[in-house]
């Protein structure tokens, strides 16, 4: 099995690209315990593990961890906006049925979600606002 760009992962697996007979070079994560593949993954893993060209595992930097956490928080915030807020505030009929106090509560909730990234603990220590009833 031809492979290239092999790189060790923290969990002992190896990320690489393998040359597939039909699709050409495709990404593959080689797990030596995978019994569902159509080839011997343990043998491929052993070959890559013994290859000095296989890149060592490099743990992510704190900056990379922070960026990933920020992306995750933003995605969660965006999901809340799309599933909880937008169906109410973007629908003129539903919005008109709310009292002024309810509209203010939804507007405050929406603003609090948008301001998540301005919290002092962002992205690791978030205080999530509670949706109005």
């Amino acid at each position: 099995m031809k492979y290239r760009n092999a790189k060790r992962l923290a969990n002992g697996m190896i990320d690489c690209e393998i040359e597939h007979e039909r699709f050409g070079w495709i990404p593959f994560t080689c797990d030596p315990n995978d019994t569902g593949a159509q080839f011997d993954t343990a043998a491929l893993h052993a070959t890559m593990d013994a290859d000095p060209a296989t890149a060592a595992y490099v743990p992510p930097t704190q900056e990379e961890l922070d960026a990933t956490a920020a992306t995750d928080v933003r995605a969660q915030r965006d999901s809340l906006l799309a599933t909880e807020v937008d169906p109410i505030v973007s629908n003129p009929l539903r919005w008109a049925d709310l009292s002024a106090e309810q509209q203010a509560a939804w507007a405050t909730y929406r603003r609090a979600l948008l301001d998540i990234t301005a919290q002092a603990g962002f992205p690791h220590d978030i205080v999530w606002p509670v949706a109005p009833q």
Side-chain angles (χ1 to χ4, degrees):
M1 168 78 46
K2 289 185 180 179
Y3 68 90
R4 67 182 185 194
N5 301 322
K7 177 180 162 188
R8 289 177 178 83
L9 303 176
N11 60 8
M13 295 182 204
I14 298 177
D15 265 350
C16 65
E17 295 173 73
I18 59 172
E19 189 173 27
H20 189 276
E21 61 187 37
R22 181 172 171 202
F23 302 110
W25 289 100
I26 60 171
F28 183 71
T29 299
C30 189
D31 178 352
N33 301 312
D34 182 3
T35 57
Q38 295 180 358
F39 57 91
D40 186 352
T41 58
L44 176 61
H45 191 277
T47 299
M48 289 189 291
D49 198 38
D51 186 345
T54 298
Y57 169 70
V58 177
T61 65
Q62 188 60 48
E63 184 177 279
E64 291 168 330
L65 293 171
D66 292 345
T68 299
T71 298
D72 292 346
V73 168
R74 285 186 179 98
Q76 186 175 352
R77 182 229 18 225
D78 293 347
S79 176
L80 290 171
L81 286 166
T83 60
E84 292 185 352
V85 179
D86 290 349
I88 294 172
V89 302
S90 298
N91 183 323
L93 296 175
R94 290 184 79 183
W95 187 253
D97 285 343
L98 298 177
S99 68
E101 294 82 18
Q102 290 171 317
Q103 288 178 355
W106 278 103
T108 300
Y109 176 61
R110 182 179 183 277
R111 173 52 45 204
L113 286 172
L114 292 171
D115 290 344
I116 287 285
T117 58
Q119 289 187 14
F122 178 81
H124 299 289
D125 187 22
I126 303 297
V127 177
W128 289 96
V130 178
Q133 295 301 321

